[in-house]
């Protein structure tokens, strides 16, 4: 086994047993002294850890241990804020954009709706402990013009339930991985080398089965693992 791989294996074992999310690895110079190798060898070892998703490099800071991936279950009652709060993660919601508009033509064709269908388009960014983790674009149907005027963050589904008595359930969900755009890199504080997981979801009114929301979530693939629960 190459020397850098032996170092990577030892560091990997130490990270699992001795480090917590957010901890910094020792500087490359100190690791080079410890293992009696040059910094290039240490850098190659850390490259392996980066590829494995165990650490991330931060300019001027060093290599930080990455949080264990969040297990996000997809089922008919799954909602982003609720899911993360259930596992004890403090979540913040930033409203980036909200407007009354018409449904985009490509989406109208996909949903078999008239292209002049009036909707609310809401864009949010979700953060955990101040770190951006997900961008969501919501297309909402059948709401009054001022329905979202008082929405300032938190769970959108809870807001609709409390204010408009609309209970949503998850319908069809599609997932795909892709490389991020430059804007997504900026909004999620990631590099172009970190893929995003894109989740398209149709949410229906539980009472009437009418489609009330189409959402497109783009989350950091280094922080989330999705699990699909079979129907009973």
């Amino acid at each position: 086994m190459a020397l850098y791989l032996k170092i990577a294996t030892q560091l990997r074992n130490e990270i699992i047993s001795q480090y917590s999310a957010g901890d910094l690895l020792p500087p490359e110079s100190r690791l080079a002294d410890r293992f009696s190798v040059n910094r290039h060898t240490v850098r190659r070892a850390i490259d392996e850890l980066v590829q494995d998703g165990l650490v991330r490099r931060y300019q001027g800071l060093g290599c930080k241990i990455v949080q264990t991936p969040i297990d996000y279950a997809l089922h008919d009652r799954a909602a982003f804020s609720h899911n993360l709060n259930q596992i004890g993660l403090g979540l913040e919601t930033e409203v980036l954009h909200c407007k009354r508009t018409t449904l985009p033509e490509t989406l109208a064709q996909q949903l078999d709706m008239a292209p002049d269908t009036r909707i609310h388009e809401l864009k949010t960014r979700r953060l955990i402990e101040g770190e951006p983790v997900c961008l969501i674009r919501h297309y909402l149907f059948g709401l009054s013009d001022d329905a979202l005027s008082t929405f300032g963050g938190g769970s959108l589904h809870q807001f609709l339930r409390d204010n408009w008595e609309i209970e949503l359930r998850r319908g069809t969900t599609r997932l795909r991985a892709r490389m991020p755009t430059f804007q997504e890199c900026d909004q999620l504080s990631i590099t172009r080398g970190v893929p995003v997981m894109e989740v398209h979801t149709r949410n229906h009114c539980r009472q009437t089965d009418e489609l009330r929301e189409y959402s497109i979530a783009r989350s950091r693939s280094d922080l989330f693992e999705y699990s699909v629960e079979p129907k009973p």
Side-chain angles (χ1 to χ4, degrees):
M1 181 186 293
L3 182 55
Y4 77 91
L5 290 176
K6 291 181 180 179
I7 295 172
T9 299
Q10 184 166 342
L11 289 175
R12 184 181 295 111
N13 292 336
E14 291 176 4
I15 287 171
I16 294 171
S17 62
Q18 302 174 23
Y19 286 81
S20 301
D23 290 347
L24 291 172
L25 281 179
E28 289 182 359
S29 58
R30 191 184 307 170
L31 290 173
D33 290 341
R34 173 188 168 188
F35 291 108
S36 300
V37 296
N38 58 44
R39 291 183 64 176
H40 176 70
T41 301
V42 169
R43 193 169 295 117
R44 290 189 67 186
I46 293 176
D47 285 342
E48 294 294 313
L49 304 179
V50 172
Q51 288 296 319
D52 287 348
L54 292 174
V55 303
R56 286 182 66 194
R57 284 190 172 93
Y58 290 86
Q59 186 68 32
L61 182 62
C63 295
K64 183 183 291 188
I65 309 303
V66 173
Q67 178 178 310
T68 302
I70 299 165
D71 184 11
Y72 188 96
L74 295 174
H75 52 78
D76 74 333
R77 291 186 179 274
F80 196 87
S81 299
H82 177 264
N83 276 22
L84 298 189
N85 287 332
Q86 283 291 98
I87 56 179
L89 293 175
L91 184 70
E92 302 172 51
T93 300
E94 289 182 352
V95 176
L96 303 178
H97 173 84
C98 185
K99 69 176 180 179
R100 186 78 161 139
T101 184
T102 55
L103 192 62
E105 184 176 353
T106 54
L107 188 54
Q109 293 175 353
Q110 180 181 330
L111 299 176
D112 195 23
M113 290 183 169
D116 60 351
T117 301
R118 296 290 291 174
I119 62 165
H120 283 82
E121 181 182 29
L122 174 68
K123 298 179 183 178
T124 60
R125 178 167 67 166
R126 309 302 173 92
L127 304 95
I128 296 175
E129 296 182 354
E131 183 174 9
V133 298
C134 184
L135 302 168
I136 307 178
R137 180 178 294 140
H138 313 260
Y139 299 100
L140 295 146
F141 310 97
L143 297 177
S144 61
D145 288 352
D146 63 347
L148 299 181
S149 61
T150 60
F151 178 71
S155 169
L156 174 61
H157 287 194
Q158 184 70 46
F159 176 86
L160 294 175
R161 186 161 50 246
D162 292 345
N163 292 274
W164 302 100
E165 298 182 349
I166 298 173
E167 180 85 22
L168 295 180
R169 65 166 182 83
R170 181 183 293 270
T172 304
T173 300
R174 293 187 296 112
L175 299 88
R176 73 183 182 109
R178 62 170 174 79
M179 303 313 293
T181 65
F182 288 111
Q183 184 180 43
E184 288 167 344
C185 287
D186 181 60
Q187 291 178 320
L188 292 173
S189 299
I190 57 176
T191 66
R192 291 276 285 174
V194 177
V196 293
M197 181 63 74
E198 188 171 283
V199 182
H200 293 242
T201 304
R202 301 186 189 205
N203 288 310
H204 298 261
C205 176
R206 192 171 292 276
Q207 297 94 323
T208 65
D209 204 37
E210 181 183 6
L211 179 65
R212 300 302 297 267
E213 179 194 20
Y214 188 91
S215 67
I216 304 173
R218 292 146 293 156
S219 61
R220 288 173 41 176
S221 63
D222 59 334
L223 291 182
F224 287 88
E225 290 181 354
Y226 288 90
S227 59
V228 180
E229 298 185 3
K231 292 183 178 180

